[in-house]
Amino acid sequence: MDYSSMHCQHCIRIIALVSCLIAIVAGQYATAPGIEYHSKALERVFEARNLELGFPTPKERERVLRAGLYDPDSVVPIDVDVYYTHGDKTPSIFVTIPRFTKGVPYSLAYVTNEVRENGTELRAYPSYDWHQSHGADCNGLTSVYRTQIDECGRMWILDSGEIDFVQHCPPQLYALDLASGGVVHHYRLPQDVYKTGVSRFVTPTIEMDAKNCDVGHVYMADSIGDGIVVYDVAAQKSWRIENKYTYPHPDFGTFKIAGESFQLWDGSVAMSLTPHGLAGHLERMLYFHSLSSDWQMAIPLSVVNNGSIWKRNDVSAGLDQFILLGKRGSQCVAAAMSETGMLLCGLVQPPSILAWNIRQSYTPENMALLIEDEQRLQFVSGLKIVRNHEGKEEIWALSNRLQKAFGTGLNFKEVNYRIQKCGIYELLNGLPCH
Ligand SMILES: *[C@@H]1O[C@H](CO)[C@@H](O)[C@H](O)[C@H]1NC(C)=O
Ligand SMILES: *[C@@H]1O[C@H](CO)[C@@H](O)[C@H](O)[C@H]1NC(C)=O
């Protein structure tokens, strides 16, 4: 698909998409004359030339610098997560920093109010101790790519167990209660659901029973092992889904962003669920895609959640249940679903937020580039839809210029890392984000 033809029709498509959405939500058609859809931007929340990491003491900072456990040039954020404590309009903002090298002192952090030379200071979460063993204590956190906060105020943390791409610990999943900081769940993945030395668990997606926070499933994307592991929280059992649809595609192994290109050969990276009780979608679905691919896939949740269907090394298990929804022409990194059934993702080319209304066919004319920003949306590896203190949905995006970090190198004189947000209603209706 050619996105250059999409640019000039940007307005028309957004209006069509938005009116359709309004029609569904409000039961009537509405047009929005006079709204300026172009040059809209997300609201800036956080910008940094480099991540500024805080330490328990200046002495500890010196120690890790000397020991080679902190290299300021190699701390690259991947994900953002946001939590509004009940009634409080200032949220807690969390950031993940996978240990791509040995020089990452901690892998999960929160944003403070302290502004320093390179940007706002981060501090370790849940505490510095959790990260301090650098892979020696597998009960601590070794390397976190992404997290997800559920509707019960708990943060699910997927730990890949690797440092510098070497497996130090088995992959594991933690759930922490954000109010108390206490561990509410811990699961170490058994060897029969991952590939030792190959698997890289990068994204958790949570499905919770509306009435019982301890019943549900966690879907874990294994981007290098090319599969999805399903974890039944109540039964504490897991199984692995792997077949041609969880793999990368040769046409999309090269990523071109803002004039630079690099190679990524990654399978399953992002998963999202259709909202509960969506009219016309009686069966809930899991949508997923591979990073190095442009295929958008779907599978009924009842099939994914039925452990008896999936067998280790059986690439034909459940195969006829997979649906290829369509191809989008470029890669998407992170994805998130709104309560109204809009699937959003961070599109690589052009750098933008892509939206698709899940009631329509997955074709270019039913997709819209809500925000296109080559400067400020270079590699959106973190994307979340969260509910704010008023119960309204917001999108939060983290971009990190990964093509430079993994390619020619970052220029620390310019802003490399950004966290931006917008109300979902404002974003979909072409209104200013702030
Ligand atoms: C700011 O970033 C640069 C580039 O990585 C680094 O050399 C410098 O030490 C950083 N400053 C602080 C205070 O972390
Ligand atoms: C799970 O799948 C098996 C095998 O296809 C089937 O016999 C069974 O009825 C399914 N269970 C549920 C709860 O759908």
PDB file of all heavy atoms in Angstrom, residues 1 8 51 185-186 327 343 366:
ATOM      1  N   MET A   1       0.836  -1.193   0.000  1.00  0.00           N
ATOM      2  CA  MET A   1       0.000   0.000   0.000  1.00  0.00           C
ATOM      3  C   MET A   1       0.877   1.252   0.000  1.00  0.00           C
ATOM      4  O   MET A   1       1.920   1.288   0.617  1.00  0.00           O
ATOM      5  CB  MET A   1      -0.863   0.003   1.246  1.00  0.00           C
ATOM      6  CG  MET A   1      -1.867   1.103   1.247  1.00  0.00           C
ATOM      7  SD  MET A   1      -2.903   0.973   2.683  1.00  0.00           S
ATOM      8  CE  MET A   1      -1.730   1.147   3.959  1.00  0.00           C
ATOM      9  N   CYS A   8      -2.845  12.997   1.124  1.00  0.00           N
ATOM     10  CA  CYS A   8      -3.697  14.043   0.576  1.00  0.00           C
ATOM     11  C   CYS A   8      -5.160  13.777   0.896  1.00  0.00           C
ATOM     12  O   CYS A   8      -5.980  14.676   0.870  1.00  0.00           O
ATOM     13  CB  CYS A   8      -3.454  14.171  -0.924  1.00  0.00           C
ATOM     14  SG  CYS A   8      -3.541  12.609  -1.765  1.00  0.00           S
ATOM     15  N   LEU A  51      18.146   9.841  29.070  1.00  0.00           N
ATOM     16  CA  LEU A  51      17.466   9.581  30.334  1.00  0.00           C
ATOM     17  C   LEU A  51      18.383   9.977  31.481  1.00  0.00           C
ATOM     18  O   LEU A  51      19.567   9.658  31.500  1.00  0.00           O
ATOM     19  CB  LEU A  51      17.093   8.103  30.455  1.00  0.00           C
ATOM     20  CG  LEU A  51      16.054   7.582  29.468  1.00  0.00           C
ATOM     21  CD1 LEU A  51      15.666   6.151  29.821  1.00  0.00           C
ATOM     22  CD2 LEU A  51      14.813   8.459  29.412  1.00  0.00           C
ATOM     23  N   HIS A 185       1.071 -11.201  42.466  1.00  0.00           N
ATOM     24  CA  HIS A 185       1.184 -12.411  41.650  1.00  0.00           C
ATOM     25  C   HIS A 185       2.601 -12.550  41.133  1.00  0.00           C
ATOM     26  O   HIS A 185       3.262 -11.556  40.822  1.00  0.00           O
ATOM     27  CB  HIS A 185       0.201 -12.346  40.473  1.00  0.00           C
ATOM     28  CG  HIS A 185      -0.221 -13.691  39.996  1.00  0.00           C
ATOM     29  ND1 HIS A 185      -1.282 -14.382  40.530  1.00  0.00           N
ATOM     30  CD2 HIS A 185       0.305 -14.497  39.044  1.00  0.00           C
ATOM     31  CE1 HIS A 185      -1.404 -15.540  39.927  1.00  0.00           C
ATOM     32  NE2 HIS A 185      -0.443 -15.646  39.017  1.00  0.00           N
ATOM     33  N   HIS A 186       3.067 -13.804  41.040  1.00  0.00           N
ATOM     34  CA  HIS A 186       4.391 -14.072  40.482  1.00  0.00           C
ATOM     35  C   HIS A 186       4.338 -15.391  39.743  1.00  0.00           C
ATOM     36  O   HIS A 186       3.831 -16.377  40.270  1.00  0.00           O
ATOM     37  CB  HIS A 186       5.434 -14.130  41.610  1.00  0.00           C
ATOM     38  CG  HIS A 186       6.828 -14.354  41.106  1.00  0.00           C
ATOM     39  ND1 HIS A 186       7.790 -15.011  41.834  1.00  0.00           N
ATOM     40  CD2 HIS A 186       7.426 -14.025  39.924  1.00  0.00           C
ATOM     41  CE1 HIS A 186       8.925 -15.061  41.129  1.00  0.00           C
ATOM     42  NE2 HIS A 186       8.716 -14.478  39.965  1.00  0.00           N
ATOM     43  N   LYS A 327      -3.547  -6.180   5.287  1.00  0.00           N
ATOM     44  CA  LYS A 327      -2.151  -5.762   5.326  1.00  0.00           C
ATOM     45  C   LYS A 327      -2.108  -4.250   5.246  1.00  0.00           C
ATOM     46  O   LYS A 327      -2.842  -3.645   4.469  1.00  0.00           O
ATOM     47  CB  LYS A 327      -1.400  -6.384   4.148  1.00  0.00           C
ATOM     48  CG  LYS A 327      -1.519  -7.907   4.121  1.00  0.00           C
ATOM     49  CD  LYS A 327      -0.871  -8.498   2.890  1.00  0.00           C
ATOM     50  CE  LYS A 327      -1.187  -9.991   2.813  1.00  0.00           C
ATOM     51  NZ  LYS A 327      -0.565 -10.621   1.643  1.00  0.00           N
ATOM     52  N   LEU A 343      -8.737   0.531  16.961  1.00  0.00           N
ATOM     53  CA  LEU A 343      -7.409  -0.046  17.192  1.00  0.00           C
ATOM     54  C   LEU A 343      -6.369   0.970  16.736  1.00  0.00           C
ATOM     55  O   LEU A 343      -6.350   1.374  15.574  1.00  0.00           O
ATOM     56  CB  LEU A 343      -7.258  -1.360  16.416  1.00  0.00           C
ATOM     57  CG  LEU A 343      -5.932  -2.100  16.592  1.00  0.00           C
ATOM     58  CD1 LEU A 343      -5.717  -2.524  18.039  1.00  0.00           C
ATOM     59  CD2 LEU A 343      -5.854  -3.313  15.673  1.00  0.00           C
ATOM     60  N   ASN A 366     -10.222   2.521   5.135  1.00  0.00           N
ATOM     61  CA  ASN A 366     -10.831   2.522   6.469  1.00  0.00           C
ATOM     62  C   ASN A 366      -9.831   2.824   7.578  1.00  0.00           C
ATOM     63  O   ASN A 366     -10.108   2.604   8.754  1.00  0.00           O
ATOM     64  CB  ASN A 366     -11.501   1.186   6.742  1.00  0.00           C
ATOM     65  CG  ASN A 366     -12.724   0.984   5.879  1.00  0.00           C
ATOM     66  OD1 ASN A 366     -13.403   1.954   5.535  1.00  0.00           O
ATOM     67  ND2 ASN A 366     -12.998  -0.253   5.500  1.00  0.00           N
TER      68      ASN A 366
END
